[in-house]
């Protein structure tokens, strides 16, 4: 693959003086998506991309194998309301997961409640969230169209499947908390544009009480949020008995929140008398009132790896909290579930999940829940009215999503629901490697490869490193296909994630963001030092915040990497707050409005560190035109800058996809994206996809 002729992109004399620095921005004109020049440039980039990538070898085989592996489908854990259960499943023939229910008095037949493809046969509608009421009679669900994530909220009657309410718009981040009876619920909604003060970003949110069937713009009752910061996110919950209302508030994605509780039996849902549980404290805390009447407080306050406390919901001040499950020095507490006779606690230990069993009164550890292997456990689900059973999702690198059932009376874990498809999964070896970063910090990395292979091989190194998000083992058609063909796939658990708790997160945010990039460079050096790959056979990959990661990596250490897959990235860190949801992330990154924080951002902002005459790695930007979270302008500007500056003949390409947003997409669109990114990586690193087969495949029969 040789350097292609790049579309013209005029460099304009645009700059700003910020805190005494002149910051140049020659491609600011590409911020305007609707401009004719931008449209022409994108069309030329699209032609260049297809001319370069569509003819790469092995794509047909790659597409077929990805389709086979994705044929496993997926299944979600059940949510119970009495004897009625709700769950999602996607078969090999379905583009999106479908929400089903099983009626309690029927013959066990499943009924589809929400099918995104029935709503929109084009496949651009996604199911964003759902919540049944306490009785299981009504269901609130959210959908978005064309990838914009601007969710619409509807309510249906579960027995008939007919809509009884909605749409309610502007509910992207809404959580729904039903009151008993299913006639009303609390939810979160953004203000309409007309109500947002002029010149401010449109991220003002409020908590409302909605009566089913009422007109939301005129009849909903404002419960909370007036006069508070415009970037606040809110969460709302109601105890099963309907007595206790909880409201949490965090500024943007800050790793801290305020928390209030109200006794609705002593006030009213329309005018709840909120009492602070935590306010102005640098910690994340949630509160759940259990069936036993106790308040269970899940918190990282004075416990960076989190702990579970109990208190009286009528007197929930910090001084009354009593440790039930204290902080573990090595594992991060992630979840809990209360059964009739035991308390279950979910943990992540160095990115691997486990569940422990405890006495519900004292917290004493009684044992562990058996799990199939070293993988990832989804949320632990119990029946709201109690019982001896719990359900949880499970996956690892070779196990498609499955649901397991734990019985506290026997201590046994048994399969409950498997992924609906039958696929041949290749045998791969996965090991956890410990390596040392630039400042001496030990970092872990999962490395997958084909059994028996040795010597430097084409490799993909993936990372994220931000927003307290962990990277844990999961079934992935792209990883399996790459490894099956003879490649190495590595996932680095960088600082900025939550694999080692909140301190690990904070070690990779704000002024310490360079730690994340150093961890990533060190991961690449470890793979090379161990003889698994070489610099000219290594692709790095990341999306969103991970796109920022690989953008910084390619500008800081261009000689360390052969190719880069940079997806839906943040790259202009001087102006990121002006677009998409950027304003809500300044606690994670810092704000360019503050002189000191501006210095942090400018020190690594990838767009501002592109230098002429450098031989940059081959780079493929993948962006999604309807992305309302991370504006595609970042990738457009960075692509133009690299195409202008690079001294290498390695291609710099841009893949632009319409009617797709930041996250969810249909299976067929996902396959198209994986074919393009994997074939690009293979061509650059020397992986021969044409002759790849899976002679060591093992049956995975569900």
């Amino acid at each position: 693959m040789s350097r292609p002729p790049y579309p013209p992109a005029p460099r304009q004399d645009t700059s700003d003086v910020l805190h005494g620095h002149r910051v140049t921005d020659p491609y600011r004109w590409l911020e305007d998506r609707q401009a004719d020049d931008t449209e022409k440039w994108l069309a030329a980039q699209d032609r260049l991309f297809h001319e370069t990538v569509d003819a790469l070898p092995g794509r047909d085989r790659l597409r077929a194998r990805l389709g086979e592996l994705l044929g496993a489908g997926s299944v979600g854990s059940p949510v119970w309301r009495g004897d009625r259960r709700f769950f999602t499943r996607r078969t090999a023939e379905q583009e999106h997961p479908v929400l089903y229910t099983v009626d309690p008095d029927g013959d066990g037949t499943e009924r589809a409640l929400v099918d995104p493809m029935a709503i929109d046969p084009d496949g651009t509608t996604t199911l964003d969230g759902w919540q049944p009421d306490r009785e299981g009679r009504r269901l609130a669900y959210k959908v978005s169209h064309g990838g914009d994530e601007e969710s619409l909220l509807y309510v249906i009657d579960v027995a008939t499947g007919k809509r009884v309410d909605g749409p309610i718009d502007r509910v992207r981040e809404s959580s729904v908390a039903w009151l008993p009876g299913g006639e009303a619920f609390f939810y979160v909604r953004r203000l309409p544009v007309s109500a947002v003060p002029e010149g401010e970003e449109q991220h003002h949110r409020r908590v409302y009480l909605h009566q089913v069937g009422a007109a939301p713009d005129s009849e909903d009752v404002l419960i909370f949020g007036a006069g508070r910061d415009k970037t606040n996110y809110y969460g709302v919950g109601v105890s099963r008995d309907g007595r206790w209302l909880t409201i949490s508030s965090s500024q943007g994605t800050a790793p801290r929140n305020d928390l209030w509780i109200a006794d609705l039996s002593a006030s009213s849902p329309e005018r709840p008398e909120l009492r602070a549980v935590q306010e102005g404290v640098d910690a994340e805390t949630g509160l759940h009132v259990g069936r036993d009447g106790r308040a269970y407080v899940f918190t990282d306050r004075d416990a960076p790896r989190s702990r579970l406390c109990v208190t009286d919901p009528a007197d929930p001040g910090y001084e009354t909290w009593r440790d039930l499950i204290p902080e573990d020095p090595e594992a991060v507490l992630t979840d809990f579930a209360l059964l009739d006779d035991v308390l279950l606690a979910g943990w992540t230990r160095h990115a691997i999940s486990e569940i422990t069993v405890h006495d519900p009164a004292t917290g004493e550890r009684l044992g562990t829940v058996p799990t199939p292997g070293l993988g990832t456990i989804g949320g632990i689900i119990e029946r709201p009215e109690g019982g001896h059973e719990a359900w949880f999702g499970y996956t690892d690198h070779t196990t498609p999503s499955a649901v397991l059932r734990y019985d506290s009376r026997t201590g046994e874990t048994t399969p409950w629901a498997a992924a609906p498809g039958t696929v041949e999964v290749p045998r791969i070896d996965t090991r956890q490697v410990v390596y040392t970063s630039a400042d001496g910090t030990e970092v872990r990395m999962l490395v997958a490869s084909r059994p028996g292979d040795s010597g430097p091989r084409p490799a993909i190194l993936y990372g994220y490193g931000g927003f307290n998000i962990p990277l844990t083992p999961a079934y992935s058609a792209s990883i399996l296909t790459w490894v099956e063909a003879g490649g190495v796939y590595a996932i680095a658990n960088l600082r900025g994630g939550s694999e080692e708790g909140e301190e690990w997160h904070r070690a990779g945010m704000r002024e310490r963001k360079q730690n994340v990039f150093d961890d990533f460079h060190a991961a690449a050096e470890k793979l090379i030092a161990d003889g698994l790959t070489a610099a000219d056979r290594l692709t790095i990959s990341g999306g969103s915040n991970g796109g920022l990661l690989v953008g910084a990596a390619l500008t800081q250490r261009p000689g360390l990497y052969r190719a880069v897959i940079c997806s839906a990235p943040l790259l202009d860190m001087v102006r990121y707050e002006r677009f998409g949801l950027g304003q809500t992330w300044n606690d994670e990154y810092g704000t360019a409005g503050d002189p000191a924080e501006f210095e942090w951002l400018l020190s690594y902002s990838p767009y501002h560190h592109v230098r002429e005459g450098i031989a940059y790695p081959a780079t493929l930007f993948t962006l999604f035109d309807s992305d309302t979270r991370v504006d595609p302008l970042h990738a457009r500007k960075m692509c133009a800058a690299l195409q202008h500056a690079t001294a290498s003949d390695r291609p710099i390409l841009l893949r632009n996809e319409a009617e797709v947003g930041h996250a969810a997409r249909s299976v067929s669109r996902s396959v198209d994206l994986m074919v393009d990114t994997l074939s690009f990586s293979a061509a650059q690193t020397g992986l021969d996809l044409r002759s790849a087969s899976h002679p060591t495949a093992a049956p995975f029969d569900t």
Side-chain angles (χ1 to χ4, degrees):
M1 192 183 294
S2 59
R3 174 178 174 139
Y6 295 124
R11 291 174 61 83
Q12 298 180 351
D13 186 18
T14 305
S15 64
D16 298 303
V17 177
L18 301 172
H19 311 299
H21 293 264
R22 180 169 295 280
V23 183
T24 61
D25 191 358
Y27 299 105
R28 186 173 295 179
W29 60 274
L30 282 169
E31 292 181 355
D32 186 354
R33 175 62 180 87
Q34 305 307 317
D36 288 343
D37 288 345
T38 302
E39 184 66 40
K40 292 175 183 177
W41 182 85
L42 279 171
Q45 293 290 347
D46 189 62
R47 289 192 295 271
L48 173 62
F49 167 76
H50 285 290
E51 289 169 0
T52 309
V53 173
D54 287 357
L56 293 177
R59 286 169 59 87
D60 290 342
R61 185 217 168 266
L62 184 59
R63 183 180 300 278
R65 186 57 175 142
L66 287 167
E68 290 172 1
L69 291 168
L70 286 170
S74 63
V75 62
S77 297
V79 171
W80 294 91
R81 294 295 183 266
D83 290 330
R84 183 190 295 278
R85 59 186 168 98
F86 302 83
F87 65 98
T88 59
R89 184 178 60 222
R90 182 189 67 78
T91 66
E93 296 76 27
Q94 292 172 320
E95 290 283 344
H96 293 282
V98 175
L99 175 61
Y100 297 91
T101 190
V102 177
D103 297 325
D105 301 323
D107 59 1
T109 301
E110 301 166 356
R111 286 192 297 116
L113 292 177
V114 184
D115 181 353
M117 291 298 290
I119 298 171
D120 171 21
D122 290 338
T124 62
T125 293
T126 57
L127 176 61
D128 301 331
W130 51 276
Q131 182 64 48
D133 69 3
R134 189 185 72 168
E135 295 78 18
R137 291 192 309 112
R138 286 176 170 168
L139 176 101
Y141 70 92
K142 298 187 299 177
V143 293
S144 59
H145 306 285
D148 65 2
E149 299 181 297
E150 295 294 336
S151 301
L152 300 173
L153 177 64
Y154 296 91
V155 178
I156 59 173
D157 180 278
V158 173
T160 65
K162 293 183 179 180
R163 286 181 182 170
V164 296
D165 202 0
I168 303 174
D169 61 1
R170 308 188 306 275
V171 294
R172 178 206 302 261
E173 301 90 5
S174 180
S175 56
V176 171
W178 286 94
L179 286 168
E183 298 297 331
F185 56 82
F186 297 96
Y187 76 111
V188 180
R189 191 185 193 200
R190 289 188 297 109
L191 292 180
V193 173
S194 59
V196 177
E198 185 177 355
E200 293 193 10
E201 295 291 327
Q202 297 167 17
H203 300 309
H204 295 253
R205 301 169 186 84
R206 303 287 186 266
V207 179
Y208 296 94
L209 175 64
H210 177 74
Q211 299 289 331
V212 173
D217 287 318
S218 59
E219 299 180 58
D220 283 358
V221 179
L222 174 61
I223 300 298
F224 192 80
R228 301 187 66 84
D229 191 283
K230 61 179 176 292
T231 61
N232 275 17
Y233 286 95
Y234 298 112
V236 58
V238 174
S239 61
R240 175 169 170 75
D241 61 8
R243 177 178 176 181
W244 301 98
L245 166 69
T246 56
I247 295 177
S248 66
S249 171
S250 60
Q251 187 170 347
T253 55
R256 66 190 70 87
N257 69 288
D258 296 336
L259 180 65
W260 298 267
I261 190 169
D263 185 349
L264 299 182
S265 69
S267 51
S268 71
E270 294 79 10
R271 301 188 67 178
E273 297 178 4
L274 292 163
R275 176 178 180 178
V277 178
Q278 171 176 292
E279 206 167 1
V281 177
D282 189 13
E284 282 193 283
T285 297
L287 185 149
H288 167 76
V289 179
R291 299 182 303 276
D292 55 6
R294 296 195 298 179
Y296 291 81
V297 181
F298 191 101
T299 184
D300 63 14
R301 187 170 177 176
D302 299 326
R305 293 178 181 267
S306 297
R307 58 186 173 129
L308 182 65
C309 306
V310 290
T311 189
D312 181 352
D315 183 22
Y318 181 65
E319 65 281 357
T320 70
W321 298 2
R322 176 178 65 82
D323 273 6
L324 187 61
I325 301 179
E327 181 184 31
D328 187 288
E330 290 189 354
V332 180
L333 184 65
T334 57
D335 197 8
F336 74 97
L338 186 64
L339 306 187
D340 284 353
D341 51 352
V342 297
L343 175 70
L344 303 181
W347 306 84
T348 299
R349 188 179 302 275
H350 309 315
I352 305 299
S353 294
E354 58 188 51
I355 302 176
T356 53
V357 183
H358 301 260
D359 183 287
T362 66
E364 177 189 359
R365 179 168 171 168
L366 304 176
T368 60
V369 172
T371 57
L374 303 179
T376 299
I377 291 169
I380 309 173
I381 306 294
E382 79 271 39
R383 293 180 184 266
E385 65 273 15
H388 301 279
E389 300 170 292
W391 294 261
F392 55 92
Y394 177 82
T395 183
D396 57 38
H397 284 134
T398 57
T399 305
S401 67
V403 179
L404 306 179
R405 171 185 170 273
Y406 172 74
D407 189 327
S408 63
R409 294 165 297 186
T410 64
E412 294 181 349
T413 299
T414 54
W416 170 259
T422 300
V423 296
E424 287 188 340
V425 179
R427 292 188 176 94
I428 66 173
D429 285 340
T430 302
R431 60 192 179 98
Q432 193 169 60
V433 174
V434 180
Y435 65 92
T436 303
S437 190
D439 62 356
T441 298
E442 287 192 345
V443 185
R444 287 174 170 79
M445 172 170 55
L446 291 168
V447 180
S449 60
R450 199 165 56 181
D453 284 356
S454 61
R457 284 151 279 163
I460 295 176
L461 170 61
Y462 180 83
Y464 187 80
F467 293 96
N468 206 28
I469 294 173
L471 297 184
T472 59
Y475 181 82
S476 166
S478 60
I479 293 176
L480 290 172
T481 302
W482 181 264
V483 172
E484 181 180 66
V488 173
Y489 203 103
I491 301 170
N493 296 130
L494 314 170
R495 281 175 282 187
S498 65
E499 293 88 349
E500 306 296 338
E502 181 56 27
E503 288 181 346
W504 191 252
H505 171 212
R506 298 193 184 205
M509 59 184 282
R510 296 175 68 79
E511 74 273 19
R512 296 174 291 276
K513 190 66 178 175
Q514 184 60 43
N515 286 337
V516 184
F517 312 140
D518 290 342
D519 291 354
F520 199 61
H521 300 319
E525 291 168 338
K526 175 66 173 175
L527 293 172
I528 295 169
D530 285 354
L532 294 172
T533 191
D536 62 355
R537 308 197 77 184
L538 176 59
T539 294
I540 55 174
S541 176
S544 192
N545 174 75
L548 168 62
L549 166 69
V550 298
L554 78 90
T555 52
Q556 292 182 6
R557 299 286 299 278
L560 188 56
Y561 311 109
R562 171 70 191 200
V564 181
I565 306 296
C566 186
S567 184
L570 280 161
L571 296 165
D572 182 346
M573 297 307 292
V574 172
R575 290 170 62 80
Y576 83 93
E577 297 166 274
R578 299 170 179 260
F579 309 102
L581 295 182
Q583 193 179 50
T584 65
W585 305 326
N586 54 32
D587 200 89
E588 181 80 13
Y589 297 125
T591 174
D594 179 275
E597 298 180 13
F598 166 79
E599 297 283 355
W600 311 338
L601 296 166
L602 188 60
S603 71
Y604 67 79
S605 177
Y607 175 62
H608 298 95
H609 284 269
V610 176
R611 300 288 180 260
E612 292 187 32
I614 302 294
Y616 285 107
T619 303
L620 173 58
F621 295 97
T622 66
L623 58 150
F624 312 107
D625 230 14
S626 297
D627 192 341
T628 54
R629 200 181 309 182
V630 177
D631 197 298
L633 68 87
H634 289 271
R636 294 196 296 265
K637 292 168 64 173
M638 185 74 171
C639 179
L642 280 178
Q643 287 179 344
H644 167 77
T646 187
S648 169
D649 62 357
R650 298 171 188 171
I652 310 294
L653 302 176
L654 184 142
R655 180 190 191 274
N656 185 41
E657 190 170 359
E659 293 190 271
V660 176
H662 192 76
R665 55 185 54 85
S666 66
V667 171
S668 58
R669 285 180 179 261
S670 297
V671 170
D672 289 343
L673 179 61
M674 287 187 281
V675 168
D676 289 341
T677 56
L678 291 178
S679 61
F680 179 85
S681 298
Q684 288 297 320
T685 59
L687 186 67
D688 187 355
L689 296 173
R690 294 170 299 182
S691 60
S693 60
H694 46 281
T696 59
F700 181 88
D701 189 352
T702 62

